[in-house]
Amino acid sequence: MKDQHLKAAYSVLPHHVAIIMDGNGRWAQARGLGRVLGHRQGALAVRRTVEEAARLGIGILTLFAFSSENWKRPQAEVQALMSLFVRTLRSEQDNLRSHDIRTRVVGDVAKFPDKLREAITEVEDATASCGGMRLNIAANYGGRADIMQAVCRLMAEHSALAAPPDEAVFTSLLQVPEDVDLIIRTGGERRLSNFLLWQAAYGELFFSPTLWPDFGADDLHEALQFFASRERRFGMTSAQVRGHRE
Ligand code: IPE
Ligand code: IPE
Ligand code: MG
């Protein structure tokens, strides 16, 4: 797609894009390969997508890499994913910094092996002063767990408040403390799988049949075009949104 075309199409670019990167296993199985090879190929799609999103000027990109429910998978697959995370975080660190991408891992990282926690700290420290796109990697993340830890923080930190806190205060206590504008799910399923439940309240949903390892710039552009074509009404009438009187 030509840049000029893009500019016109994306007069409204979502500030916060979140992606449920699904379909690695099916991608591998369709080729007679083990699921882990699908995850490896998926890591290359992460790199492509992150670079393209940063180039386009997306403010925040949140990627669902491992859910709080994914521990239920066979141990060998979970272990392979942990090793892949370590390798990918290490190998991508310089690239992320050179693209000025501030990277954070969100989720309950305390449950991860030491090596992975070290790699997370390294990439977060190495990119802490970057001022470009913000990248959240959701790992051992669950939307309900995020809400629960915010409730616990609220009880601990705000118990002395006379008035009940408002939604903005509650949002600020979440691990991902921003509403999401566009949620993309690859792989054909149409569900949130416990991702960003609070933050997705008014997010536009884009479901792509593309399996995550095949996802590329064109698929991202398709999702952004879909977003640009939506009228976000937030409960109002279409006429109100367009500034017309009924
Ligand atoms: C998403 O792909 C990656 C993770 C959940 C870690 P899947 O592994 O869920 O792929 P499918 O859905 O089985 O094809
Ligand atoms: C959601 O995918 C989690 C990630 C993409 C990391 P799953 O493949 O785990 O979701 P379900 O189990 O099919 O809902
Ligand atoms: Mg899946």
Side-chain angles (χ1 to χ4, degrees), residues 132-236:
M133 187 175 80
R134 286 161 53 197
L135 173 65
N136 296 320
I137 300 167
N140 194 19
Y141 178 87
R144 287 186 174 182
D146 194 1
I147 291 168
M148 286 306 298
Q149 67 78 37
V151 169
C152 293
R153 280 184 65 187
L154 194 65
M155 288 169 72
E157 296 168 22
H158 298 260
S159 58
L161 284 185
D166 60 14
E167 288 186 4
V169 167
F170 188 76
T171 302
S172 73
L173 298 173
L174 293 164
Q175 290 171 317
V176 180
E178 296 93 6
D179 283 346
V180 59
D181 300 300
L182 172 65
I183 299 146
I184 300 169
R185 182 172 186 140
T186 64
E189 306 292 356
R190 292 169 180 247
R191 56 180 173 250
L192 286 178
S193 299
N194 197 19
F195 192 40
L196 300 177
L197 299 179
W198 173 279
Q199 300 87 337
Y202 256 105
E204 300 292 335
L205 304 173
F206 183 79
F207 298 105
S208 164
T210 304
L211 300 172
W212 177 250
D214 289 327
F215 196 85
D218 284 352
D219 298 276
L220 182 63
H221 293 163
E222 201 186 331
L224 294 173
Q225 261 169 348
F226 160 83
F227 179 84
S229 75
R230 308 320 304 154
E231 181 180 68
R232 304 187 77 194
R233 292 194 282 277
F234 297 100
M236 292 179 279

Side-chain angles (χ1 to χ4, degrees), residues 22-220:
D22 196 21
N24 294 350
R26 280 165 283 163
W27 184 93
Q29 279 161 346
R31 288 160 179 76
L33 305 169
R35 297 177 54 85
V36 172
L37 283 168
H39 296 313
R40 258 187 233 163
Q41 204 64 26
L44 303 179
V46 171
R47 179 184 247 230
R48 288 197 293 274
T49 307
V50 167
E51 285 184 2
E52 187 63 4
R55 191 182 76 79
L56 290 170
I58 300 290
I60 309 172
L61 179 67
T62 301
L63 299 177
F64 206 6
F66 190 85
S67 78
S68 46
E69 288 72 36
N70 287 146
W71 296 107
K72 297 176 198 160
R73 294 192 176 198
Q75 216 192 337
E77 181 171 344
V78 170
Q79 263 168 9
L81 279 166
M82 299 297 139
S83 307
L84 181 63
F85 288 152
V86 174
R87 281 204 306 278
T88 308
L89 288 173
R90 288 202 175 133
S91 65
E92 290 305 307
Q93 190 166 302
D94 290 346
N95 191 39
L96 289 165
R97 196 173 34 197
S98 70
H99 284 86
D100 206 23
I101 297 169
R102 176 143 57 98
T103 306
R104 282 178 58 222
V105 175
V106 294
D108 187 2
V109 297
K111 298 230 166 64
F112 286 138
D114 290 351
K115 254 194 181 167
L116 179 49
R117 283 192 286 114
E118 278 161 29
I120 289 170
T121 306
E122 269 176 39
V123 77
E124 287 182 340
D125 288 351
T127 62
S129 59
C130 292
M133 187 175 80
R134 286 161 53 197
L135 173 65
N136 296 320
I137 300 167
N140 194 19
Y141 178 87
R144 287 186 174 182
D146 194 1
I147 291 168
M148 286 306 298
Q149 67 78 37
V151 169
C152 293
R153 280 184 65 187
L154 194 65
M155 288 169 72
E157 296 168 22
H158 298 260
S159 58
L161 284 185
D166 60 14
E167 288 186 4
V169 167
F170 188 76
T171 302
S172 73
L173 298 173
L174 293 164
Q175 290 171 317
V176 180
E178 296 93 6
D179 283 346
V180 59
D181 300 300
L182 172 65
I183 299 146
I184 300 169
R185 182 172 186 140
T186 64
E189 306 292 356
R190 292 169 180 247
R191 56 180 173 250
L192 286 178
S193 299
N194 197 19
F195 192 40
L196 300 177
L197 299 179
W198 173 279
Q199 300 87 337
Y202 256 105
E204 300 292 335
L205 304 173
F206 183 79
F207 298 105
S208 164
T210 304
L211 300 172
W212 177 250
D214 289 327
F215 196 85
D218 284 352
D219 298 276
L220 182 63

